[in-house]
Amino acid sequence: MSAPLLLVGASVRAAVHSARRAGYTPLAVDRFTDVDLRSVAGEWRQSLDYPADVESLCESLPPAPWMYTGALENRPDVIECLSRSRPLWGNGADVLRVVRDPFRVAELLDAGNLPVPRCRRGDVRLISHETAHWLTKPIAGGCGAAIEPARAEDERSPGDWFHQEFIAGMPISALFLSDGIRAELCGMSRQLIGMSSQPVTPFAFCGAITGETFSTGVVDVVRRVADALVRGSGLRGLFGCDFVLRDGVPWLVEVNPRYTATVELYERLSSDALLRRHAEAFVRPAGATRERELRAATRVHRQRVALKLILFAHESFNAPDLSHRLDMFRVDGFPRFADLPPPGVTISRGDPICTLLLDGDDFARLACDARAALEELAGDFPAGVFFPAELAEDLSRSFPPDRS
């Protein structure tokens, strides 16, 4: 019988699938308890007052190590509380207070002469000619929510908000696996941010495309950033970094110190279950993992490419029965359609509907497959909930040119 692993976060469906692939019996606590999560998890609980009720929900589940997904990293108090009764396979509050503080992150990278945007306190008033060069961001942010262009004379609480220098360019992310001493790069992806065909804010996370080849110079800087973060904070396990690539230079804009939305894409392209390696980073003493083991754990089949696309609702509706989309039990263990809402649940305008997951041999084929999958999926929903042709066209502009 496989060992249990408790997964806690706003949405843990992807991590539940990763846990199954890694050989664990997943126990789940999240806000949505999607149809596909319920079909895979050993036990599950829905949080109706997230994250205030998370502790009591976890108490009703069997003893097991636990890990968190986004954006519980913004609540180190909750993490400390849950970790009193269960082993935490994740970064604790001491690490989070470093890597989730944009000013401390900027200090770490500045010390290494690495590219990081300038930061100002939320109560610093910007004058009119400065606003085009700054963003106002929440300290406890996630998925690009509540990020806005800075406004003149807009004074906010320094404990809740900060100003970050605006870096124009291509949003990318990198996933790492660390043993607490050194980090290995699992892969890099192009992020889908604020897609015009979706009813989302300009900085909202809509998905990612993996498989693009980045220059040696870019990869070198990305690795050095991870090394600086690990040395300065003790980061362990899987963690992600968001960058903006401008003129060949990757500027770090955020650290995600936990299992990220792109892990399932890299697992799709890898010969190993990354969540198993994540667990080993916490079972073993810091630095005990051999370098060749880290490298083997993060080896990705570079010849293939993959897509994760989150669909958002243009209008409110009640979810239909999507049980016929439960195809995660295919031979390869990876679904095409995921995060399937329970029948009858109300999905409001701007809320996520479900997720499209695809992989293929090249970006041109992936774009064609995405268009066909969107048209297929549209038949499950009322007209006007999303627009497959517009979304496919928007997506096609986001794909990098094929390497051939």
Side-chain angles (χ1 to χ4, degrees), residues 146-385:
I147 300 175
E148 301 175 351
R151 296 191 296 270
E153 308 302 318
D154 183 11
E155 183 176 336
R156 306 198 189 194
S157 165
D160 299 326
W161 301 88
F162 74 105
H163 302 302
Q164 186 180 72
E165 181 184 9
F166 175 58
I167 306 295
M170 182 175 71
I172 64 174
S173 68
L175 179 71
F176 300 92
L177 178 65
S178 170
D179 65 352
I181 302 297
R182 58 197 181 279
E184 185 64 29
L185 179 63
C186 300
M188 297 172 61
S189 64
R190 182 181 295 220
Q191 291 190 316
L192 300 171
I193 301 295
M195 300 177 72
S196 61
S197 58
Q198 303 228 60
V200 295
T201 59
F203 297 96
F205 176 77
C206 299
I209 302 167
T210 70
E212 184 171 0
T213 301
F214 293 90
S215 72
T216 302
V218 169
V219 173
D220 177 65
V221 173
V222 165
R223 291 181 184 275
R224 288 167 55 206
V225 166
D227 288 341
L229 292 171
V230 171
R231 285 195 305 268
S233 68
L235 270 167
R236 297 172 75 171
L238 292 166
F239 71 94
C241 292
D242 294 339
F243 298 86
V244 173
L245 186 60
R246 182 179 72 182
D247 299 328
V249 177
W251 293 75
L252 179 74
V253 294
E254 188 168 9
V255 182
N256 298 302
R258 36 75 182 168
Y259 180 102
T260 71
T262 56
V263 171
E264 63 181 334
L265 289 185
Y266 296 115
E267 287 190 332
R268 207 174 183 108
L269 304 181
S270 173
S271 58
D272 206 344
L274 291 177
L275 196 141
R276 187 186 304 120
R277 303 305 182 186
H278 172 85
E280 290 172 356
F282 297 96
V283 173
R284 296 180 177 183
T289 305
R290 297 177 181 176
E291 186 172 357
R292 65 173 178 269
E293 291 178 309
L294 273 178
R295 290 187 179 276
T298 58
R299 187 175 298 120
V300 172
H301 298 304
R302 304 289 180 183
Q303 70 272 19
R304 292 185 66 78
V305 298
L307 164 71
K308 179 171 188 170
L309 176 65
I310 304 169
L311 306 182
F312 294 87
H314 280 269
E315 59 183 40
S316 299
F317 70 102
N318 292 328
D321 183 356
L322 297 173
S323 57
H324 61 289
R325 296 295 180 192
L326 288 174
D327 62 353
M328 81 285 297
F329 296 112
R330 296 183 305 159
V331 173
D332 61 11
F334 294 97
R336 279 198 310 156
F337 305 112
D339 302 312
L340 305 173
V345 69
T346 299
I347 298 178
S348 301
R349 172 180 165 79
D351 284 350
I353 303 171
C354 64
T355 302
L356 174 64
L357 295 160
L358 295 172
D359 61 272
D361 294 329
D362 55 58
F363 294 119
R365 171 52 57 187
L366 201 57
C368 291
D369 290 347
R371 182 180 295 272
L374 289 168
E375 291 175 353
E376 175 187 342
L377 190 62
D380 290 335
F381 297 101
V385 167

